[in-house]
């Protein structure tokens, strides 16, 4: 969370005073307004405010018709919610390497494609844009769906297009740790009317045809789904946060660019697929050994993070996936379903060694939008001192 204040308090106050806390209402209508802002800011005709990024990704996969008998390619470096969304849809996640940008490796994506592959999920991890030109070329060549995981990249872009809007559908996250937040929440984005209708039905099938006229003009029939509907309190906060998004991105980018320019002659940065579209929440330093990376990360005043240590963001720590436990009830477990019997991947801790090596030789430092030039200069001097002494 970067910025929050009285505006969010006042927005929540209005909802509470209206006494209309349910999403569908005739009062403040915070959810409706937040979805309108999502559509405008991300330049898509359809958007749904949901409970989480995982909910958005799962809804996207289901809405695209992906399920048992299908494989979906995911990167080895992403939060476990990404492969779990594939499992939630009944399909099999196939894990591939990341490249030097720490985003999904298009070459490995193409190597991992089989006759069962139906989709690929490029993940814009840490706000770093994936190589969407290559991913789109591969998807078009092999007739695959693209579900963008932009959960760590709210508002970022690739060649001028918002992350999450380039593929067939996209997911955003608004939990506490993201660029903008409502505590917990997610956004589903698509340009396809049928996909939107299915996602809307799936994310709230218990209420979608009961409250309001949400299914007005729908051509898709109702089916049983889940309940990922959010509420007016979270939506009120999100509405204000969406207003803050561009300012946060602008100031993050200014500070990151400034520090990178000051440091360009003394270090190597992780390369970017689009540095201008990067959310700029992270300075990513690249080293030639894990030893140097760890010395730098732990140097006094640095407070860095080596991404190999980030737990559930690294495939080796996806316990439920690696152990093939897709559900408590074995009859509901996609790993044990008849339709998947011939397509269950062989997950091994050493199956993506390039990813593990790359993640062990990088150090992340946070970038803050409210840091002044003086604070940035102080940080630069500390970084230079650390680099000179490792």
């Amino acid at each position: 969370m970067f910025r929050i204040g009285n505006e969010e308090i006042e927005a929540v106050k209005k909802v509470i005073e209206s006494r209309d806390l349910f999403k569908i209402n005739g009062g403040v209508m915070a959810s409706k307004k937040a979805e309108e802002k999502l559509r405008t800011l991300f330049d898509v005709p359809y958007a749904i405010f949901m409970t989480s990024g995982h909910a958005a990704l799962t809804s996207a996969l289901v809405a695209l018709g992906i399920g048992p008998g299908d494989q979906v390619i995911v990167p080895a470096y992403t939060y476990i919610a990404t492969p779990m969304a594939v499992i939630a849809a009944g399909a099999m996640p196939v894990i591939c390497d990341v490249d030097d940008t720490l985003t999904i490796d298009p070459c490995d994506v193409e190597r991992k494609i089989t006759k069962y592959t139906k989709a690929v999920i490029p993940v814009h991890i840490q706000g770093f844009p994936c190589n969407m030109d290559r991913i789109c070329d591969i998807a078009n060549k092999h007739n695959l769906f693209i579900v963008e995981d932009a959960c760590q990249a709210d508002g970022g872009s690739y060649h001028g297009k918002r992350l999450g809007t380039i593929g067939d559908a996209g997911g955003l996250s608004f939990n506490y740790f993201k660029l903008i937040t409502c505590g917990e929440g997610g956004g589903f984005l698509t340009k396809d009317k049928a996909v939107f209708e299915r996602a809307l039905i799936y994310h709230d099938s218990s209420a979608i045809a009961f409250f309001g006229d949400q299914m007005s003009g729908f051509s898709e029939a109702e089916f049983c789904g889940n309940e990922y509907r959010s509420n007016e309190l979270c939506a009120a906060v999100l509405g204000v946060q969406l207003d803050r998004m561009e300012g946060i991105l602008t100031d993050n980018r200014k500070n990151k660019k400034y520090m990178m320019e000051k440091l360009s002659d003394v270090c190597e940065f992780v390369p970017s697929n689009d540095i201008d579209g990067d959310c700029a929440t992270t300075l990513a330093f690249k080293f030639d050994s894990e030893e140097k990376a760890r010395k730098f990360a732990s140097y006094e005043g640095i407070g860095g993070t080596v991404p190999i240590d980030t737990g559930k963001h690294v495939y080796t720590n996806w316990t439920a996936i690696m152990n093939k436990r897709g559900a408590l009830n074995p009859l509901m477990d996609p790993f044990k379903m008849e339709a998947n019997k011939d397509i269950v991947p062989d997950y091994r801790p050493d199956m993506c060694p390039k990813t593990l090596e790359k993640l062990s030789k990088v150090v992340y430092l946070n970038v803050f939008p409210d840091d002044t030039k003086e604070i940035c200069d102080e940080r630069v001097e500390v970084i230079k001192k650390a680099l000179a002494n490792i």
Side-chain angles (χ1 to χ4, degrees):
M1 180 177 68
F2 287 113
R3 292 172 177 165
I4 196 164
N6 286 331
E7 292 90 342
E8 285 85 355
I9 294 172
E10 288 301 315
V12 171
K13 181 182 177 183
K14 287 180 181 178
V15 169
I16 293 174
E17 289 177 343
S18 76
R19 304 182 70 84
D20 286 322
L21 275 61
F22 189 73
K23 179 179 180 179
I24 309 302
N25 64 80
V28 176
M29 296 186 288
S31 297
K32 180 180 179 181
K33 292 173 182 175
E35 289 174 346
E36 289 172 351
K37 287 183 180 180
L38 281 169
R39 291 195 294 272
T40 299
L41 285 169
F42 287 82
D43 192 25
V44 290
Y46 306 107
I48 308 171
F49 175 46
M50 298 186 184
T51 53
S52 68
H54 171 78
L57 294 174
T58 304
S59 299
L61 291 166
V62 170
L64 290 166
I66 292 166
D70 298 333
Q71 292 181 330
V72 177
I73 298 174
V74 303
Y77 176 43
T78 180
Y79 189 54
I80 191 174
T82 309
M84 285 180 67
V86 178
I87 295 297
M92 288 288 99
V94 173
I95 302 171
C96 78
D97 267 314
V98 297
D99 61 20
D100 287 341
T101 67
L102 304 185
T103 63
I104 196 165
D105 182 354
C107 293
D108 202 33
V109 168
E110 198 147 30
R111 283 192 291 267
K112 297 291 173 63
I113 293 172
T114 72
K115 64 181 180 179
Y116 303 104
T117 308
K118 292 296 175 65
V120 58
I121 304 183
V123 180
H124 308 294
I125 195 84
Q126 295 290 136
F128 306 151
C130 296
N131 185 342
M132 293 306 297
D133 285 340
R134 286 278 287 117
I135 295 299
C136 288
D137 286 345
I138 292 167
N140 290 335
K141 177 181 176 182
H142 296 277
N143 195 29
L144 306 179
F145 292 118
I146 298 173
V147 175
E148 282 182 85
D149 183 339
C151 291
Q152 293 190 13
D154 297 336
S157 61
Y158 176 79
H159 296 175
K161 295 180 181 179
R162 295 280 195 189
L163 303 178
T165 71
I166 302 168
D168 297 281
L172 306 171
S173 174
F174 310 121
N175 76 19
Y176 176 81
F177 303 100
K178 300 306 191 289
L179 186 129
I180 56 174
T181 182
C182 61
E184 187 63 86
F188 166 88
L189 309 171
T190 189
K191 298 174 183 175
D192 188 304
K193 185 174 185 290
V195 173
F196 161 71
E197 290 181 8
R198 295 177 202 143
L200 193 70
I201 293 167
Y202 177 77
H203 105 287
D204 191 16
S205 60
S206 63
I208 196 71
F210 186 75
F211 291 99
D213 59 351
Q214 297 179 85
M215 292 187 70
S216 176
F218 272 31
S219 57
E220 296 292 322
E222 291 179 59
F223 58 92
C224 294
N226 251 301
E227 189 170 298
Y228 294 143
R229 179 186 64 248
S230 194
N231 62 79
E232 288 291 90
L233 296 174
C234 289
V237 176
L238 178 62
V240 180
Q241 287 281 296
L242 285 167
D243 291 338
R244 297 185 188 275
M245 186 178 75
E246 280 301 329
I248 294 170
L249 286 167
T250 297
D251 292 338
N252 267 351
R253 287 166 176 163
K254 177 187 68 176
N255 286 344
K256 179 170 180 175
K257 181 181 180 182
Y258 178 77
M259 287 191 285
M260 287 182 71
E261 289 174 349
K262 291 285 185 178
L263 294 164
S264 61
D265 59 341
V266 295
C267 67
E268 183 177 2
F269 294 106
V270 169
S272 174
N273 289 306
D274 184 351
I275 193 64
D276 294 325
D278 174 11
C279 290
T281 58
T282 308
L283 277 170
F285 297 83
K286 184 178 179 181
F287 295 89
D288 57 17
S289 72
E290 182 174 356
E291 180 184 11
K292 287 183 180 179
R294 292 196 178 280
K295 283 184 177 179
F296 175 72
S298 61
Y299 196 86
E300 184 178 358
I302 292 296
T305 301
V306 182
I308 194 70
D309 298 334
T310 53
K312 297 294 185 184
H313 291 86
V314 183
Y315 78 93
T316 51
N317 298 305
W318 298 346
T319 307
I321 303 294
M322 298 296 284
N323 292 340
K324 300 177 183 177
R325 295 200 67 198
L328 181 60
N329 187 317
L331 296 179
M332 299 292 288
D333 187 345
F335 288 113
K336 297 178 176 63
M337 289 179 179
E338 181 69 17
N340 291 330
K341 68 176 183 177
D342 297 324
I343 64 169
V344 177
D346 179 20
Y347 301 130
R348 304 181 316 278
D350 63 349
M351 65 183 173
C352 292
K354 291 181 181 179
T355 295
L356 299 180
E357 181 184 10
K358 294 178 192 302
L359 296 181
S360 68
K361 295 180 180 180
V362 168
V363 175
Y364 290 158
L365 297 186
N366 293 328
V367 178
F368 302 101
D370 294 330
D371 279 357
T372 62
K373 179 178 177 294
E374 290 71 27
I375 291 174
C376 289
D377 284 335
E378 289 174 5
R379 294 190 73 194
V380 165
E381 291 308 309
V382 172
I383 291 168
K384 285 184 175 180
K385 182 178 178 181
L387 290 169
N389 286 280
I390 60 172

